[in-house]
Amino acid sequence: MSTIFLTPESAMRKALELAALGAGFVEPNPMVGAVVVAPDGRCLGMGYHQRFGGPHAEVHALREAGELARGATLYVTLEPCCHHGKTPPCTDAVIAAGMRRVVVAVTDPFPAVAGKGIAQLRAAGIRVETGLGEHEALALTAPFRKLVLQQRPFITAKWAMSLDGKLAAHTGISKWISNSESRTIVHLIRGRMDGILVGIGTVLADDPLLTVRPPGARTPTRIILDSQARLPITSQLIQTISAAPVLVFASESAPVDRVTRIRDTGAEIICLPPDSKGHPDLLRILGELGARRMTNVLVEGGSDILGRFRDAQEIDEVHTFIAPKLIGGRDGFSPIGGQGVNSPEFGMPLIDPIVERIGNDIYVHGRIHSSKGSG
């Protein structure tokens, strides 16, 4: 095998690329990548956190480097852990390997680490530097950081719309606005989620499955916001409950017989205090999902639900598919309802949005600038 030589920048870039391979497999842990580099720049070992409960990135990289790791530099995207969790502390492995230097992109916000791992390495005589690749590493670990710091999942909003900004025709029919290639991307996004959330209006209008096809890294829970427990027991969600869990959030004012009927199907239903409009309180819902260690939740609509998330400033990332067609109609549905802002200047901007052409569709995606989960 040919020898690979890496600069500090390319070593951290490689660690970040490796870390991203863990998406969907490691949550609620963070995605982490690591690279061991000799003093002359030779790459000695690489690794990433591959699955929840499995060895961390540093361990994989150090194992690959073996004895050559002594006196080398470790590039790692997140501060090595220094506590016993499902695996032993990574700081112990780094110290035992005889590393001369460790370059860390960002510190770990988890209270049991939070700078203590770096302090432990320095106390062992290892030179530690931080900040290389910080921007990219913060973006990579944003879902983990939001879960740790706010106890709520990272929210990705997705919708498909026509060129004139309609989610559906005035009849409520929305299948299919986007093309098959765009829908394939949607399933790839779904496959790394812990939950897929829609409102009862979307369920009644479209009778969606909300499953991942073909299956991905995760089997997301189908989450329905259903104030009055109207979810039909004949719906595809209930009929496929053995394929993926269904979690319904209703208001405490929902009729008891409807709540019981849904619960008897095997779906889980939680009744929460209503907000001023009679909906189950959104922050209570997010707190419940966070308590279940859901790291990533995809909100697929409809307009009222997306509006509630926007008004609460709880959208962290956006994926939008724009089809080159005109639907029209003054009663057509727009993507985001709710109260909205008083002036366009106060809209939630995307950070460095990416614009791609998918067949004839235009695909726009990016993080929200005001994201509470971005670090």
Side-chain angles (χ1 to χ4, degrees):
M1 188 172 77
S2 60
T3 302
I4 301 173
F5 287 88
L6 298 171
T7 64
E9 292 75 17
S10 62
M12 186 59 79
R13 241 185 345 262
K14 174 55 70 174
L16 289 161
E17 290 171 3
L18 289 167
L21 297 176
F25 296 97
V26 303
E27 290 84 358
N29 282 353
M31 294 177 280
V32 183
V35 176
V36 179
V37 179
D40 64 359
R42 283 178 299 133
C43 179
L44 303 174
M46 298 186 289
Y48 68 98
H49 188 27
Q50 299 177 9
R51 60 179 178 82
F52 178 70
H56 290 185
E58 300 93 322
V59 173
H60 284 295
L62 291 171
R63 283 177 181 170
E64 189 172 289
E67 286 299 317
L68 294 176
R70 190 163 298 279
T73 296
L74 173 70
Y75 293 86
V76 62
T77 59
L78 187 70
E79 175 183 8
C81 67
C82 55
H83 66 295
H84 282 272
K86 289 187 174 294
T87 61
C90 287
T91 49
D92 289 357
V94 174
I95 294 168
M99 305 299 299
R100 177 181 65 88
R101 177 168 161 259
V102 175
V103 180
V104 177
V106 289
T107 56
D108 189 334
F110 190 66
V113 187
K116 301 180 185 71
I118 290 173
Q120 193 174 105
L121 295 176
R122 285 175 173 158
I126 297 173
R127 178 181 166 192
V128 181
E129 300 170 14
T130 62
L132 181 63
E134 178 181 23
H135 178 75
E136 296 83 354
L138 283 172
L140 193 70
T141 56
F144 170 72
R145 289 176 180 277
K146 186 176 182 186
L147 184 63
V148 168
L149 298 175
Q150 299 181 46
Q151 304 299 306
R152 296 201 288 273
F154 188 86
I155 300 299
T156 297
K158 165 264 165 183
W159 65 86
M161 66 181 184
S162 62
L163 191 60
D164 56 336
K166 303 298 183 182
L167 281 179
H170 68 89
T171 58
I173 297 173
S174 63
K175 293 183 178 180
W176 293 103
I177 289 179
S178 59
N179 63 32
S180 60
E181 296 98 322
S182 294
R183 296 197 294 275
T184 296
I185 293 173
V186 171
H187 283 282
L188 292 175
I189 296 169
R190 284 180 174 183
R192 59 179 176 82
M193 294 288 151
D194 295 297
I196 302 171
L197 186 150
V198 299
I200 186 60
T202 295
V203 175
L204 296 176
D206 296 341
D207 192 22
L209 276 168
L210 303 181
T211 52
V212 184
R213 304 182 297 277
R218 305 183 88 75
T219 301
T221 297
R222 283 90 57 87
I223 305 165
I224 315 302
L225 304 195
D226 183 10
S227 299
Q228 294 302 304
R230 294 185 292 156
L231 178 63
I233 60 174
T234 56
S235 67
Q236 290 197 93
L237 290 167
I238 295 299
Q239 297 304 309
T240 60
I241 202 165
S242 61
V246 173
L247 172 60
V248 178
F249 285 99
S251 166
E252 288 178 342
S253 65
V256 175
D257 60 328
R258 293 185 191 169
V259 171
T260 302
R261 185 171 68 244
I262 291 173
R263 186 170 287 130
D264 287 347
T265 67
E268 184 177 5
I269 183 165
I270 297 175
C271 296
L272 295 175
D275 61 17
S276 60
K277 295 185 178 179
H279 303 303
D281 183 79
L282 186 59
L283 293 184
R284 289 280 295 269
I285 290 170
L286 294 177
E288 175 65 29
L289 300 180
R292 294 168 183 243
R293 313 308 295 161
M294 288 193 181
T295 308
N296 290 286
V297 170
L298 180 65
V299 178
E300 293 202 7
S303 175
D304 288 344
I305 297 298
L306 286 166
R308 288 174 63 192
F309 275 86
R310 199 234 71 86
D311 289 346
Q313 297 189 39
E314 283 294 339
I315 296 177
D316 300 298
E317 185 170 303
V318 170
H319 292 260
T320 303
F321 299 87
I322 305 169
K325 59 182 71 170
L326 304 176
I327 291 177
R330 65 170 58 91
D331 296 325
F333 296 88
S334 61
I336 297 182
Q339 179 177 334
V341 296
N342 293 328
S343 171
E345 65 181 303
F346 300 120
M348 300 170 73
L350 270 63
I351 306 171
D352 300 325
I354 298 170
V355 181
E356 303 176 56
R357 182 168 174 172
I358 309 297
N360 286 330
D361 288 354
I362 301 299
Y363 174 33
V364 182
H365 54 105
R367 295 276 173 86
I368 295 294
H369 187 268
S370 60
S371 167
K372 301 174 185 177
S374 61

